[in-house]
Every structure is written in C-alpha cells, then in structure tokens.
Amino acid sequence: DGGITQSPKYLFRKEGQNVTLSCEQNLNHDAMYWYRQDPGQGLRLIYYSQIVNDFQKGDIAEGYSVSREKKESFPLTVTSAQKNPTAFYLCASSIETGSYEQYFGPGTRLTVT
Amino acid sequence: GENVEQHPSTLSVQEGDSAVIKCTYSDSASNYFPWYKQELGKRPQLIIDIRSNVGEKKDQRIAVTLNKTAKHFSLHITETQPEDSAVYFCAASNNFNKFYFGSGTKLNVKP
C-alpha cells in the first residue's frame, strides 16, 4: 500500500475555517490528482497537476485551492467558500507516460460542522 | 465534458455466478477505460483497463469489453468469490490526464 500517503485520516473543522489536506508520494510520479468521493456519486476531479508549479482545475474546483511546489507533494486547501465540504477526499498519482494507472492514497474524511 | 454512467448501482450474485457491470460514455474522443475496485475502507485499485484500439481484454476471471460505436464498455467477472465483494468504478479518459468516473457499483457475492 505504500508510496502515496494522505494525512490525517480523519479531520474535523468548524464551518468558516480553511483546512489543508496533505498528499505525499515517493513514487517519482509526475502527475497528481485530487478527487472528492460522495456516496452514490463516484469520484469527482477537483484539481490535477502534471508538473511542478503547474495545475489545472477539475470539474468541481470552486472553493478549493492547491499548490505543487515539489514533485512529491500536492496539498489541497478546502476554503470556507466551499459550500458543502464534508466528504471523503482521495489523492492519486500517475506516471505521465507508459502506464496510466492511478495510484490512490488512503483518503482523508473531512467533517465540517 | 465527458459523462460516464454506470449500472447497476448495486448487484448481488451467488458465489460462482457471473457478474456484469456496464458503463456508457458520451465523448467519442475517449480512448482509455480503466476499472477500479474499492474494498470497504480501502483505496481504489486498478483491476483492468482497455484502450480504444482493442475490443476485449481478459485477465483470469475478469474481462472488459468495449463497443466504441455504441460508446459502452462492460466489466465481466466469472466464477465470483466472496472476496470479489467491493465497489467497482469505471472511468473514461481522452488524454490520460483527466479521468471521468462512473458512480460505482456495489457488488455483493453471497457465499
């Protein structure tokens, strides 16, 4: 299971607070992704990054922000502008060429009250 | 953008029977179709994938078929076992960077 880690596993925040979810990989993968998983809705793409210092919005980027200052790290900030932030967040990484398999982290369950 | 629909949302089969999960996609430019398995409390893992230049791919008890004309692809699991019980997600991509996932199928294999 190693290679891509997310912390913490569970996170609780009060409404109105920003919170940052960590994602680290030691697989030397170029691309990294953030997904949100809600019951019955599959995985929806929030942001993705193909290279350091570059990232693109996914389908549900509003209320989220990311950075990619290092190849190994792709943190996600859930801002107070995200209207429904309670969800399970999955980070993934993949090699840019050859195999396109996405390796997922264990996920962070965020609860905002 | 791409829209991937997956059916059924839940599927219950008897051990030893076959299971079939179907997905449709909307973007004819999509050319890569992976399937992921997510066991309870665990991360999704790739189980099989297919590219648009291939109509069928098999790996032991699992197979995937692709019909580009109809824009649908299916996962077939034969001789199901209790350890096949999980949520299965299909996905589609047209540039290997953005992946669009289906809503998932919860498969229950009854012993």
Side-chain angles (χ1 to χ4, degrees), chain A residues 12-93:
Chain A
F12 298 89
R13 279 293 183 272
K14 293 290 186 184
E15 195 174 317
Q17 294 179 334
N18 292 354
V19 59
T20 297
L21 282 60
S22 166
C23 178
E24 304 278 332
Q25 54 99 0
N26 61 3
L27 301 167
N28 199 33
H29 285 174
D30 299 299
M32 296 187 74
Y33 310 80
W34 273 105
Y35 293 93
R36 172 180 171 139
Q37 186 174 23
D38 295 288
Q41 293 194 49
L43 282 68
R44 293 183 290 168
L45 183 64
I46 304 172
Y47 269 97
Y48 66 104
S49 168
Q50 297 171 253
I51 196 169
V52 174
N53 292 323
D54 188 48
F55 47 82
Q56 285 78 41
K57 293 182 179 180
D59 299 316
I60 56 167
E62 185 176 351
Y64 299 98
S65 66
V66 293
S67 63
R68 187 84 186 277
E69 297 176 2
K70 299 186 297 181
K71 188 175 185 178
E72 309 79 35
S73 179
F74 191 41
L76 173 75
T77 297
V78 184
T79 75
S80 56
Q82 166 51 232
K83 291 181 170 47
N84 186 20
T86 295
F88 187 58
Y89 292 87
L90 280 164
C91 179
S93 69

Side-chain angles (χ1 to χ4, degrees), chain B residues 47-111:
Chain B
I47 55 171
I48 195 167
D49 57 9
I50 191 168
R51 302 195 184 191
S52 59
N53 58 347
V54 176
E56 183 176 3
K57 185 177 179 180
K58 287 184 180 179
D59 184 2
Q60 298 182 339
R61 295 187 298 107
I62 60 173
V64 56
T65 57
L66 171 65
N67 184 327
K68 287 176 59 180
T69 303
K71 296 200 199 69
H72 68 70
F73 56 112
S74 301
L75 178 71
H76 304 253
I77 307 173
T78 58
E79 300 172 19
T80 54
Q81 301 166 4
E83 51 264 38
D84 293 329
S85 295
V87 178
Y88 292 82
F89 293 98
C90 63
S93 173
N94 69 355
N95 60 7
F96 302 103
N97 292 321
K98 291 185 71 173
F99 291 81
Y100 296 87
F101 283 82
S103 54
T105 296
K106 184 175 182 180
L107 174 64
N108 179 36
V109 180
K110 296 177 286 186

